Amino acid sequence: MAQQIKCSVSECQYNSDMVCDAPMIQVDRNGVSKASHSPQTKCETFKPRS
Ligand code: SF4
């Protein structure tokens, strides 16, 4: 079954009606060595709409 990723970052070119259309995304820690809550993570696949 296909997974769906809900995402509200509508300015990303992969975003379609608040769902991510990228075939795969990469999420990394956001400047910390050990994340303990979601703001310490970020989507590296984000691309601004041109
Ligand atoms: S690539 Fe990341 S930021 Fe862009 S729509 Fe997908 S989850 Fe959201």
Side-chain angles (χ1 to χ4, degrees), residues 5-44:
I5 298 169
K6 287 171 61 178
C7 177
S8 60
V9 186
S10 56
E11 59 271 43
C12 177
Q13 69 177 241
Y14 293 113
N15 196 292
S16 176
D17 293 331
M18 300 301 143
V19 173
C20 179
D21 271 352
M24 180 181 190
I25 66 166
Q26 178 167 347
V27 178
D28 286 339
R29 294 180 196 89
N30 189 12
V32 296
S33 59
K34 187 176 178 183
S36 55
H37 52 110
S38 58
Q40 294 175 327
T41 69
K42 62 177 175 175
C43 177
E44 290 288 354

